[in-house]
Amino acid sequence: MKKIQTIYSDNDHKWSVIARDPAKPNWLIDTNEYLIESDGMGLLTDPGGSEIFPEVFSALVEVFPASQIKNIFASHQDPDIVSSISLWLEVNSSIRCYVSWLWTGFLPHFGGNADTFIPMPDEGMEIIHQNIKLRSIPAHFLHSAGNLNLWDPKAKILFSGDIGAALLPLDETDLIVKDFDKHIRYMEKFHKRWMASEQAKIAWCERISNLKPDMLCPQHGSVFQGPDVERFIQWFSELKIGMDALELPKT
């Protein structure tokens, strides 16, 4: 079963992660769902696929009333990101979902209607969640054509979606990356194939390095903290990705 753990707390401002599920079927990709609390209300980032909704819901309600989920932040359109939207709307029909404008015509296929989705422009936007100010940060083509991260300037935490993702074996259970060099083996192939644009990668690395996050929280795998955040940015900036990394057989 998934478990929820707090990774940041300052009065009523809190970040928690609903982390890996060791009992999940092998054919599903493991995911992390992050809960941002302020003034008794919650925002969920990439709340997951419909197939894992029971596990996410059960972990959440151990510490937080599900009816108090006010907002969802969807980094992009993939089913493992947000296909559970219809089930969350059954919990609270007034939930609003922030997503790139590019996907507002696609996500209603998972559930909701035109009023459910708040379109975010390509340059990102400020998001007011109760007493805290968050900001969506451009991450387009890394890997989705309409992709945004979520930045919390007070907590200095970046929810990075698929950037920084690692596909971990069952025996790797650490929530925080402890050995960066070892961790590379679990994220290198993913980033080479799924990240599409060298130009977008360099722009993202410069943008995020200037923010100086204390934590970088991906949707898959472990959280980067402290010096490992900059280590990841440096590693990613030097990695060949997309067509530059794809080796096709000669014909």
Side-chain angles (χ1 to χ4, degrees), residues 4-7 14-18 33-37:
I4 188 165
Q5 301 178 62
T6 299
I7 57 174
K14 182 185 290 187
W15 276 70
S16 301
V17 56
I18 303 169
E33 294 76 34
Y34 298 89
L35 169 67
I36 307 172
E37 297 177 51

Side-chain angles (χ1 to χ4, degrees), residues 82-87 89 97 104 106-114 116-117:
V82 70
S83 63
S84 62
I85 182 70
S86 62
L87 299 170
L89 287 167
C97 178
T104 52
F106 290 76
L107 262 61
H109 290 280
F110 292 139
N113 54 45
T116 303
F117 300 98

Side-chain angles (χ1 to χ4, degrees), residues 136-148:
S136 55
I137 302 291
H140 308 300
F141 301 101
L142 300 171
H143 64 96
S144 169
N147 194 52
L148 291 146

Side-chain angles (χ1 to χ4, degrees), residues 56-160:
V56 175
F57 184 87
S58 296
L60 175 78
V61 297
E62 288 183 5
V63 301
F64 189 82
S67 61
Q68 298 301 103
I69 298 298
K70 179 181 180 180
N71 296 309
I72 284 173
F73 178 88
S75 61
H76 57 291
Q77 82 292 353
D78 279 355
D80 68 312
I81 300 296
V82 70
S83 63
S84 62
I85 182 70
S86 62
L87 299 170
W88 287 106
L89 287 167
E90 289 183 17
V91 175
N92 179 0
S93 62
S94 66
I95 284 175
R96 295 295 175 261
C97 178
Y98 291 88
V99 67
S100 165
W101 68 271
L102 196 63
W103 306 123
T104 52
F106 290 76
L107 262 61
H109 290 280
F110 292 139
N113 54 45
D115 294 330
T116 303
F117 300 98
I118 299 174
M120 294 185 287
D122 284 342
E123 65 271 20
M125 62 182 280
E126 185 175 73
I127 297 172
I128 305 297
H129 176 58
Q130 299 301 104
N131 296 329
I132 58 177
K133 294 181 180 180
L134 308 170
R135 182 158 193 90
S136 55
I137 302 291
H140 308 300
F141 301 101
L142 300 171
H143 64 96
S144 169
N147 194 52
L148 291 146
N149 295 167
L150 186 63
W151 169 238
D152 183 337
K154 184 173 184 294
K156 296 188 72 66
I157 296 175
L158 180 77
F159 169 64
S160 58

